[in-house]
mmCIF file of all heavy atoms in Angstrom:
data_model
loop_
_atom_site.group_PDB
_atom_site.id
_atom_site.type_symbol
_atom_site.label_atom_id
_atom_site.label_comp_id
_atom_site.label_asym_id
_atom_site.label_seq_id
_atom_site.Cartn_x
_atom_site.Cartn_y
_atom_site.Cartn_z
ATOM 1 N N GLY T 1486 -72.840 -100.154 35.376
ATOM 2 C CA GLY T 1486 -72.781 -99.901 33.944
ATOM 3 C C GLY T 1486 -71.348 -99.297 33.566
ATOM 4 O O GLY T 1486 -71.109 -99.139 32.341
ATOM 5 N N ALA T 1487 -70.564 -98.847 34.475
ATOM 6 C CA ALA T 1487 -69.194 -98.235 34.061
ATOM 7 C C ALA T 1487 -68.161 -99.250 33.795
ATOM 8 O O ALA T 1487 -68.152 -100.352 34.455
ATOM 9 C CB ALA T 1487 -68.958 -97.333 35.266
ATOM 10 N N VAL T 1488 -67.322 -98.967 32.952
ATOM 11 C CA VAL T 1488 -66.060 -99.814 32.625
ATOM 12 C C VAL T 1488 -64.941 -98.969 32.532
ATOM 13 O O VAL T 1488 -64.971 -97.786 32.246
ATOM 14 C CB VAL T 1488 -66.387 -100.601 31.362
ATOM 15 C CG1 VAL T 1488 -67.536 -101.627 31.460
ATOM 16 C CG2 VAL T 1488 -66.642 -99.764 30.171
ATOM 17 N N LEU T 1489 -63.739 -99.583 32.625
ATOM 18 C CA LEU T 1489 -62.534 -98.957 32.407
ATOM 19 C C LEU T 1489 -62.326 -98.702 30.943
ATOM 20 O O LEU T 1489 -62.387 -99.791 30.138
ATOM 21 C CB LEU T 1489 -61.285 -99.715 33.035
ATOM 22 C CG LEU T 1489 -59.961 -99.110 32.746
ATOM 23 C CD1 LEU T 1489 -59.648 -97.768 33.497
ATOM 24 C CD2 LEU T 1489 -58.813 -100.192 33.095
ATOM 25 N N ASP T 1490 -62.211 -97.559 30.542
ATOM 26 C CA ASP T 1490 -61.944 -97.183 29.096
ATOM 27 C C ASP T 1490 -60.451 -97.297 28.674
ATOM 28 O O ASP T 1490 -60.123 -97.866 27.653
ATOM 29 C CB ASP T 1490 -62.726 -95.939 28.768
ATOM 30 C CG ASP T 1490 -62.524 -95.622 27.260
ATOM 31 O OD1 ASP T 1490 -63.199 -96.114 26.493
ATOM 32 O OD2 ASP T 1490 -61.634 -94.770 26.784
ATOM 33 N N SER T 1491 -59.755 -96.380 29.362
ATOM 34 C CA SER T 1491 -58.277 -96.313 29.100
ATOM 35 C C SER T 1491 -57.491 -95.680 30.306
ATOM 36 O O SER T 1491 -58.104 -95.186 31.154
ATOM 37 C CB SER T 1491 -58.093 -95.467 27.669
ATOM 38 O OG SER T 1491 -58.681 -94.218 28.000
ATOM 39 N N VAL T 1492 -56.134 -95.709 30.128
ATOM 40 C CA VAL T 1492 -55.242 -95.255 31.154
ATOM 41 C C VAL T 1492 -54.227 -94.498 30.330
ATOM 42 O O VAL T 1492 -53.639 -95.078 29.366
ATOM 43 C CB VAL T 1492 -54.671 -96.316 32.031
ATOM 44 C CG1 VAL T 1492 -53.592 -95.824 33.006
ATOM 45 C CG2 VAL T 1492 -55.739 -97.125 32.835
ATOM 46 N N ALA T 1493 -53.827 -93.338 30.773
ATOM 47 C CA ALA T 1493 -52.711 -92.595 30.246
ATOM 48 C C ALA T 1493 -51.851 -91.910 31.263
ATOM 49 O O ALA T 1493 -52.387 -91.682 32.429
ATOM 50 C CB ALA T 1493 -53.358 -91.469 29.288
ATOM 51 N N VAL T 1494 -50.588 -91.617 31.019
ATOM 52 C CA VAL T 1494 -49.774 -90.996 31.916
ATOM 53 C C VAL T 1494 -49.141 -89.658 31.317
ATOM 54 O O VAL T 1494 -48.609 -89.774 30.108
ATOM 55 C CB VAL T 1494 -48.606 -91.725 32.464
ATOM 56 C CG1 VAL T 1494 -47.583 -91.092 33.368
ATOM 57 C CG2 VAL T 1494 -49.212 -93.067 33.229
ATOM 58 N N ASP T 1495 -49.273 -88.484 31.982
ATOM 59 C CA ASP T 1495 -48.841 -87.282 31.568
ATOM 60 C C ASP T 1495 -49.442 -86.656 30.255
ATOM 61 O O ASP T 1495 -49.135 -85.583 30.006
ATOM 62 C CB ASP T 1495 -47.257 -87.226 31.494
ATOM 63 C CG ASP T 1495 -46.656 -87.379 32.779
ATOM 64 O OD1 ASP T 1495 -47.245 -87.080 33.804
ATOM 65 O OD2 ASP T 1495 -45.549 -87.936 32.839
ATOM 66 N N SER T 1496 -50.236 -87.464 29.545
ATOM 67 C CA SER T 1496 -50.819 -86.964 28.351
ATOM 68 C C SER T 1496 -52.174 -87.596 28.214
ATOM 69 O O SER T 1496 -52.199 -88.786 28.272
ATOM 70 C CB SER T 1496 -49.964 -87.203 27.134
ATOM 71 O OG SER T 1496 -50.728 -86.981 25.974
ATOM 72 N N LYS T 1497 -53.204 -86.885 27.968
ATOM 73 C CA LYS T 1497 -54.557 -87.451 27.762
ATOM 74 C C LYS T 1497 -54.661 -88.301 26.456
ATOM 75 O O LYS T 1497 -55.618 -89.034 26.391
ATOM 76 C CB LYS T 1497 -55.582 -86.412 27.814
ATOM 77 C CG LYS T 1497 -55.629 -85.693 29.110
ATOM 78 C CD LYS T 1497 -56.628 -84.595 29.206
ATOM 79 C CE LYS T 1497 -56.569 -83.844 30.404
ATOM 80 N NZ LYS T 1497 -57.573 -82.701 30.476
#
Side-chain angles (χ1 to χ4, degrees):
V1488 295
L1489 176 66
D1490 181 78
S1491 55
V1492 177
V1494 174
D1495 292 335
S1496 167
K1497 295 178 186 179

